[in-house]
Amino acid sequence: MLGLYEKALPKDISWYERLRLAKTLGFDFVELSIDETDARLARLDWTKAQRKEIRDASFTLDMPILSMCLSAHRRYPLGSSDPTKQAHGLNIMQKAVDLAVDLGIRSIQLAGYDVYYEAKSISTRHSFIENLKKCVAIAANKSVVLSIEIMDDPFINSISKFYEIKSQIPSPYLQVYPDLGNLSAWPENQVGHELEKGIGAISQIHLKDTLAVTDQFSGQFKNVAFGAGCVDFIGCLKTLKRLNYSGSFVMEMWSETSEQPLIEIEKAKAVVLPLLKEAGYA
C-alpha cells in the first residue's frame, strides 16, 4: 500500500475533499498530521461529531486514515527540563491515542527527539525514556502502536539508536518508522544493514529524498525532489523486499502551500511508482 502524507495536499480544504483528492491521485490511504502548530494541535480536541464526519467521509470514499504523524512533541518534548512541558506532552499522547481509536488509525509515528528547542543532556534522555514508557502504556491500553521515526536529529538518527531505547521498553506496541531520507542522510549509517537490523520492528516506511550531512553541510531533510538527493531508493526497496517487508509506504511531501501541489505530487509519484515496481512492490 502507498499512502500520502497530509501536508502534500492543499491545506485549506475539507477532509472529504482531502481524502477524495488522495483517492483520485491513486493513493491507498492518508497520513494525518498533528504538528506543533495551534491549528493542528486543536485537532486533538475534535468533537465526536467532527470525528464522525471524517470517519463517514473515509467510509464513503473508501479512503482510510491509517497513520498519524505526531510531531507536536517538538513543542512539548517528553524529555524537557520543564515538568509542565513533560506533563503537556503526556496529555498530547493520551489525546492522540484517543483520536487514533476514533478515526481507525493503527499507528502513531512519534518524533524521535528527547528535546528539540532545548539543550540535550543525560537528563533529557532520561526523562524522554521515562515518559516514553508511559506513552507506550497509554497506547498499548488501546491497542495502538507507537512507531519512533528515524529523525533529522542525532538523538535517534538510526535504527541502531532506536534499539538502544527499545531494549529498555520491550513492548510490541513500540516499533520503528524508518524514513529512508533521514536514514540515508547520516554518513555513519550503513543503510542496508540498518534495514536488515530493524526488519522485525518496522511498522511503516517514509519515502522522501534528502541531501546528505557532511562536515561542511548540515544536510537538507525537507523539500528535496525525489531522485535529486542521496537516497538509493532502489537499493533500499530491494533490501526491504528481500527481507519480506510487506508493510505500507508513505510518500512524505510538504507541498500543501505550493501553487500547484497536485502537479508536484504527480511528479513525485511518477518517480516513486516505477521504483516500487522494480523492487517488486507494484
Side-chain angles (χ1 to χ4, degrees), residues 185-187 210-222 224 230:
W186 298 95
T210 50
L211 299 179
V213 175
T214 69
D215 291 339
Q216 294 78 37
F217 180 57
S218 59
Q220 183 175 333
F221 294 89
K222 288 185 178 181
V224 177
C230 66

Side-chain angles (χ1 to χ4, degrees), residues 105-225:
I105 290 171
R106 276 75 161 167
S107 175
I108 296 177
Q109 177 245 296
L110 188 67
Y113 304 116
D114 54 345
V115 291
Y116 189 78
Y117 299 112
E118 303 175 31
K120 298 177 183 297
S121 67
I122 297 173
S123 293
T124 61
R125 182 178 187 274
H126 165 75
S127 294
F128 173 81
I129 294 171
E130 284 293 294
N131 285 317
L132 181 60
K133 287 181 180 178
K134 298 174 185 177
C135 290
V136 171
I138 290 169
N141 188 53
K142 297 292 181 71
S143 298
V144 174
V145 173
L146 295 188
S147 304
I148 294 184
E149 185 177 24
I150 304 306
M151 299 307 297
D152 55 352
D153 176 273
F155 184 67
I156 303 180
N157 62 358
S158 68
I159 295 174
S160 296
K161 287 185 177 178
F162 159 75
Y163 272 115
E164 293 175 5
I165 306 297
K166 170 79 170 176
S167 66
Q168 300 175 66
I169 311 173
S171 169
Y173 291 95
L174 179 63
Q175 302 294 341
V176 67
Y177 194 143
D179 180 307
L180 296 186
N182 292 346
L183 190 64
S184 300
W186 298 95
E188 64 267 30
N189 287 340
Q190 298 181 50
V191 177
H193 176 66
E194 287 290 310
L195 294 173
E196 291 163 356
K197 185 174 184 178
I199 189 61
I202 294 174
S203 62
Q204 201 157 277
I205 300 282
H206 263 163
L207 300 175
K208 77 173 185 198
D209 218 336
T210 50
L211 299 179
V213 175
T214 69
D215 291 339
Q216 294 78 37
F217 180 57
S218 59
Q220 183 175 333
F221 294 89
K222 288 185 178 181
N223 299 316
V224 177

Side-chain angles (χ1 to χ4, degrees), residues 5-7 15 30-37 39-41 43-44 46 65 67-72 99 105 254 256:
Y5 184 41
E6 173 200 338
K7 289 186 178 181
W15 269 99
V30 169
E31 182 169 80
L32 176 142
S33 169
I34 303 291
D35 64 21
E36 62 186 304
T37 63
R40 283 195 163 102
L41 280 170
R43 294 173 168 185
L44 297 174
W46 275 337
I65 304 171
S67 56
M68 176 193 300
C69 182
L70 181 63
S71 55
L99 180 61
I105 290 171
W254 292 266
E256 66 179 1

Side-chain angles (χ1 to χ4, degrees), residues 262-273:
L262 303 187
I263 291 177
E264 290 189 30
I265 293 168
E266 291 282 21
K267 286 181 179 178
K269 193 178 176 188
V271 176
V272 169
L273 283 185

